[in-house]
Amino acid sequence: MKDIMGIIYTGENDARLRELTITRAIAAMPVAGRFRVIDFLVSSMVNGGMKNIGVIMQKNYHSLMDHLGSGKEWDLHGKHEGLHILPPFLTRENVGLYPGILDALRSNNSYLTRSKQETLVLSNSNILYNARLDELISFYRETGADITLMYTKDPTMIRDEYGTYIKVEENGDVTDMEVQPTHPAYGNCYMQVFVMKRELLLDLVDKAVAHGLHSMEKDIFLRLIQSRSAKINAYEYKGKCWHIDSVQSYFRFNMEILDPKMRKGLFRDELPVYTKVRDEMPAYYGDNSTELNSLVADGCQIEGKVENSVLFRGVKIAPNAHVKNCIIMQDGQVQEGAYIENCILDKEAIIRQNARLIGPEAYPIVIGKNVVI
Amino acid sequence: MLRKKTCVAMLLAGGQGSRLGILTKNVAKPAIPYGGKYRIIDFPLSNCTNSGIDTVGVLTQYQPLELNAYIGSGAPWDLDISNGGVFVLPPYQKGKSGEWYRGTANAIYQNIAFIQQYNPDYVLILSGDHIYKMDYNAMLNYHISHGADATIAVRPVAWEEAPRFGIMNTDENDRIIEFEEKPKKPKSNKASMGVYIFTWEKLYKYLTDDEADKGSSNDFGKNIIPNMLNDNQVMMAYNFTGYWKDVGTIESLWEANMDLLENPMPMDMHDKKWRIYAKNPGMPPHYIAKGATVTDTLITEGGEIYGNVHHSILFAGVVVEEGAYVESSVIMPGSVIKRGAVIRRTIVAENAVIGAGAIVGEEEGNIAVVGQGISIPAGATVPAGQQVDESYSF
């Protein structure tokens, strides 16, 4: 596995995450009580044996850089390889803002050229998974494909208007692809993770960008599939995965992993998920706290009632406060007598005494960072 | 040549801690888990980092494997730096000789070469036996401003307990005039905390002289400190009034854990300016299921709680199944409490399994202990104060 490098692209469209992505990229979204989306992607790559990982950043990348740091938590702070943070920059050949993933890759041409690995895994960051990428790579090698795409048959991943769907033959070959169809014809959702030779990617990207093209799916994969000029096949990922691209899908993911079965599908002993450590003490439960069906991170102090919720590190729930179906990010506070339901509290938000805040289940209320209510 | 350091810390972590019974059968005392996510050694190491002391030698001798693995590169404490950092220092062969550490002073003596590399002005001597948060830098400033040759941290203990400690008798300016080990009739209640700062030049001389004295037991308390006092060296007592707990026995280890559940906590563990660092196992947050009850308890990551937990400390990855009841207990990493088991006043060591319906410990009496990796059969009973290891038959 020494000969594989990883690229994570974090420039996805995030308008549907409203306030949550004003100050951060989707990849930096806090999830599951103590992680960020990117932790799952980087950990999958590290667990799959990759030691050279580049993270392409587009906008709002400060929180992402802050989180990844030197890559130490993922053992990516080595001398030769390790974590490479690739923010946009302005040069003669680099325009700064990328119109699409192909432009982003073209701009990082020198990093890709300089890397020594023969093969490359690229992952977008709006689908959260924890995969055995070593199995994906073995599949790619054994089948002798030019490009192997990773996909899922999970029916919850099939949605109208968003996503890319592929037709997979019995032998694994991909014979059709639809990008953002209103009514998907195929039940195989492409997870926006693929493997190919580094040189091949460089070549494809260079040619596509030279022709003014921007989209990996529409402008490269679809054309190759239609012209049958490359062997493209697909590897089925059988674990759990989730779209993280709207407030609803973000909320749904956090609520679903309250289910122990879902959690087992995501957090597996052989695939540990690493993240930046905050060194908080364990969570404290007071004398009168009641808590049902919730995930609670270290540093929380719980005196009130918590139901079906995910509490990130350092959250305080005061006596007689009641929190139901909520996601409360780092250092949030719910003070005495307050009641909140179907809310997402961004970092350090405070709900004052006796406040009441009830969102509809299908459209949770988002309280921005540092907001006091 | 390494850059000069003002102060180098030497942490004595070689003791067996035999009074901790089966808990220290396979691990050295400083590696014993404490407080839901820490090990005892996290406290002195974090204190060093927070005090700006970035060069720490850890002297190991007894069952060092787990401790070595735990310390690793020193990254959790920010001690993985190129000029300094944390070093594990086991005894080693020198020329034709080679020997175990014979006493606390001998352990430092055998590592003089390590200390000399940094050419320090002062050396801080610590032990891996206590739970406390302390600013060693403030103590060092005190040592310097008093022109001391040695400074010993002391804390007031109840007079009736004083005969159990090493007691420092001081004059009105806190200069130490006499040291008494476990005095029957104490003249002071200032107990030594086992935290010393020496001016390195002086300590070097006394360590070498002590080594030459064949009758010496090569111990700081028995030899070095009395010798320095006899020579009228400037020895200061540094008063510390914060939380400090010796965790040398099963009972005191249990008590120190329960202290974290006091309201307010006797030691502020939420202080962002003085965090206690620990190696992180990388687990998801803990989960409390519908139907579980959890009160007055600390729980860390990876836990899965379906049963009832009251007044307890649960470490990483602990599972409490439905209908199980845990009260006033300390459950160390990876242990599983099966359905309907009842656990009271017990320390369960790492990766133990308490079988369904088993009853361990009692509401009163001594603390029961279940050893590392032990499985208690379903329905078995373990009385108060019992220590259960492989040799125990049900």
Side-chain angles (χ1 to χ4, degrees), chain B residues 65-96:
Chain B
L65 282 185
E66 197 158 328
L67 194 57
N68 291 356
Y70 185 69
I71 292 171
S73 68
W77 309 273
D78 272 348
L79 291 171
D80 54 336
I81 55 173
S82 44
N83 182 45
V86 60
F87 299 86
V88 175
L89 304 170
Y92 58 94
Q93 293 271 322
K94 302 152 196 84
K96 287 203 182 92

Side-chain angles (χ1 to χ4, degrees), chain A residues 34 263 280 285 291 293, chain B residues 37 283 286-288 296:
Chain A
R34 68 176 295 237
R263 218 163 41 247
E280 293 272 7
Y285 291 86
E291 198 212 15
N293 190 35
Chain B
K37 68 183 292 193
M283 290 176 157
H286 67 265
Y287 174 71
I288 312 275
D296 197 16

Side-chain angles (χ1 to χ4, degrees), chain A residues 32 34 72 258 260 263 273 277-287 289 291 293-296 298 301, chain B residues 35 37-38 80 269-270 275 277-278 280 283 285-288 290 294-301 304 306:
Chain A
R34 68 176 295 237
K72 203 161 150 179
L258 290 176
R263 218 163 41 247
V273 182
V277 171
R278 224 173 77 132
D279 293 293
E280 293 272 7
M281 81 171 301
Y284 174 72
Y285 291 86
D287 289 332
S289 66
E291 198 212 15
N293 190 35
S294 297
L295 279 173
V296 179
D298 278 2
Q301 295 174 53
Chain B
K37 68 183 292 193
Y38 309 98
D80 54 336
M269 297 288 288
H270 290 292
R275 288 192 196 274
Y277 305 101
N280 196 289
M283 290 176 157
H286 67 265
Y287 174 71
I288 312 275
K290 201 165 177 171
V294 179
T295 55
D296 197 16
T297 286
L298 285 175
I299 306 183
T300 192
E301 285 146 4
E304 301 269 330
Y306 297 85

Side-chain angles (χ1 to χ4, degrees), chain A residues 168-363:
Chain A
V168 184
E169 302 300 327
E170 232 160 76
N171 65 357
D173 285 353
V174 176
T175 49
D176 194 16
M177 175 181 262
E178 335 176 278
V179 183
Q180 298 183 352
T182 313
H183 304 293
Y186 309 116
N188 307 313
C189 174
Y190 166 51
M191 290 171 63
Q192 310 197 350
V193 178
F194 67 78
V195 200
M196 71 169 91
K197 291 250 166 28
R198 183 173 53 87
E199 298 282 346
L200 177 61
L201 180 72
L202 275 168
D203 187 47
L204 290 171
V205 166
D206 192 53
K207 286 199 178 106
V209 173
H211 289 89
L213 304 173
H214 307 294
S215 160
M216 182 71 75
E217 283 92 32
K218 279 186 203 157
D219 300 329
I220 293 188
F221 293 158
L222 195 53
R223 288 175 188 217
L224 289 175
I225 292 166
Q226 283 167 348
S227 65
R228 295 175 191 269
S229 50
K231 178 175 163 65
I232 301 187
N233 66 8
Y235 162 84
E236 187 190 347
Y237 167 68
K238 295 202 172 102
K240 272 303 298 174
C241 54
W242 289 266
H243 289 285
I244 307 283
D245 55 3
S246 65
V247 169
Q248 288 83 345
S249 62
Y250 172 76
F251 191 71
R252 198 187 70 135
F253 162 68
N254 281 284
M255 291 297 135
E256 281 191 9
I257 52 149
L258 290 176
D259 178 350
K261 274 192 223 105
M262 291 282 189
R263 218 163 41 247
K264 264 201 187 112
L266 183 63
F267 295 100
R268 290 147 66 186
D269 287 346
E270 74 276 20
L271 293 171
V273 182
Y274 304 100
T275 187
K276 186 174 168 185
V277 171
R278 224 173 77 132
D279 293 293
E280 293 272 7
M281 81 171 301
Y284 174 72
Y285 291 86
D287 289 332
N288 297 312
S289 66
T290 51
E291 198 212 15
L292 305 164
N293 190 35
S294 297
L295 279 173
V296 179
D298 278 2
C300 288
Q301 295 174 53
I302 298 168
E303 308 270 359
K305 188 170 178 187
V306 180
E307 255 182 288
N308 306 332
S309 294
V310 177
L311 308 188
F312 284 70
R313 292 178 280 202
V315 167
K316 285 186 187 151
I317 309 293
N320 298 318
H322 186 173
V323 171
K324 190 176 173 186
N325 303 341
C326 288
I327 299 169
I328 305 183
M329 294 188 202
Q330 211 164 289
D331 297 323
Q333 281 183 38
V334 181
Q335 299 185 344
E336 275 202 59
Y339 177 80
I340 56 170
E341 189 178 333
N342 296 322
C343 292
I344 300 172
L345 270 58
D346 205 330
K347 281 165 98 173
E348 288 159 45
I350 297 174
I351 305 294
R352 287 255 189 251
Q353 290 182 3
N354 302 318
R356 283 175 69 82
L357 208 57
I358 304 174
E361 212 180 313
Y363 201 78

Side-chain angles (χ1 to χ4, degrees), chain B residues 17-294:
Chain B
S18 52
R19 289 178 302 151
L20 282 165
I22 58 172
L23 287 175
T24 48
K25 206 165 132 191
N26 303 315
V27 293
K29 182 167 151 187
I32 298 264
Y34 166 79
K37 68 183 292 193
Y38 309 98
R39 295 186 186 240
I40 296 169
I41 198 170
D42 288 326
F43 287 80
L45 286 179
S46 300
N47 286 339
C48 280
T49 301
N50 291 329
S51 304
I53 293 170
D54 61 10
T55 308
V56 185
V58 179
L59 297 101
T60 60
Q61 173 154 291
Y62 173 81
Q63 289 285 15
L65 282 185
E66 197 158 328
L67 194 57
N68 291 356
Y70 185 69
I71 292 171
S73 68
W77 309 273
D78 272 348
L79 291 171
D80 54 336
I81 55 173
S82 44
N83 182 45
V86 60
F87 299 86
V88 175
L89 304 170
Y92 58 94
Q93 293 271 322
K94 302 152 196 84
K96 287 203 182 92
S97 68
E99 54 188 345
W100 296 106
Y101 294 146
R102 290 194 308 275
T104 51
N106 175 256
I108 304 295
Y109 175 84
Q110 292 200 37
N111 287 289
I112 282 177
F114 168 79
I115 298 171
Q116 296 284 43
Q117 291 180 96
Y118 297 98
N119 187 24
D121 298 323
Y122 309 98
V123 170
L124 167 69
I125 309 285
L126 302 168
S127 68
D129 304 348
H130 308 122
I131 303 294
Y132 64 114
K133 295 194 337 185
M134 182 176 180
D135 185 350
Y136 302 138
N137 192 45
M139 180 175 168
L140 180 61
N141 288 338
Y142 175 91
H143 176 86
I144 295 169
S145 65
H146 286 77
D149 298 309
T151 300
I152 297 171
V154 296
R155 61 180 197 105
V157 293
W159 280 93
E160 62 272 20
E161 279 189 47
R164 288 177 38 222
F165 293 95
I167 294 294
M168 300 291 161
N169 301 324
T170 60
D171 67 11
E172 66 279 12
N173 298 321
D174 279 326
R175 181 161 171 178
I176 300 167
I177 45 177
E178 192 187 5
F179 169 68
E180 291 182 289
E181 183 68 40
K182 299 187 178 138
K184 286 208 179 71
K185 287 189 184 143
K187 295 179 206 130
S188 136
N189 67 337
K190 290 181 177 172
S192 167
M193 294 164 58
V195 175
Y196 315 122
I197 290 178
F198 292 96
T199 299
W200 172 233
E201 204 183 314
K202 289 282 159 124
L203 180 61
Y204 178 78
K205 175 184 176 299
Y206 279 90
L207 284 177
T208 348
D209 291 355
D210 179 62
E211 194 62 20
D213 174 5
K214 294 296 166 215
S216 171
S217 40
N218 306 121
D219 186 84
F220 275 99
K222 290 191 191 115
N223 308 104
I224 303 287
I225 291 166
N227 289 347
M228 287 183 80
L229 277 171
N230 285 341
D231 293 352
N232 214 17
Q233 299 290 332
V234 184
M235 314 269 288
M236 296 300 298
Y238 177 76
N239 293 297
F240 176 81
T241 49
Y243 179 86
W244 181 91
K245 188 95 179 177
D246 180 86
V247 284
T249 63
I250 302 272
E251 304 288 324
S252 65
L253 177 65
W254 178 82
E255 275 170 25
N257 275 286
M258 294 301 134
D259 284 348
L260 292 175
L261 299 173
E262 292 291 314
N263 193 6
M265 223 182 297
M267 172 172 59
D268 180 11
M269 297 288 288
H270 290 292
D271 183 0
K272 291 190 170 146
K273 294 198 186 77
W274 206 273
R275 288 192 196 274
I276 302 301
Y277 305 101
K279 196 165 169 175
N280 196 289
M283 290 176 157
H286 67 265
Y287 174 71
I288 312 275
K290 201 165 177 171
T293 58
V294 179

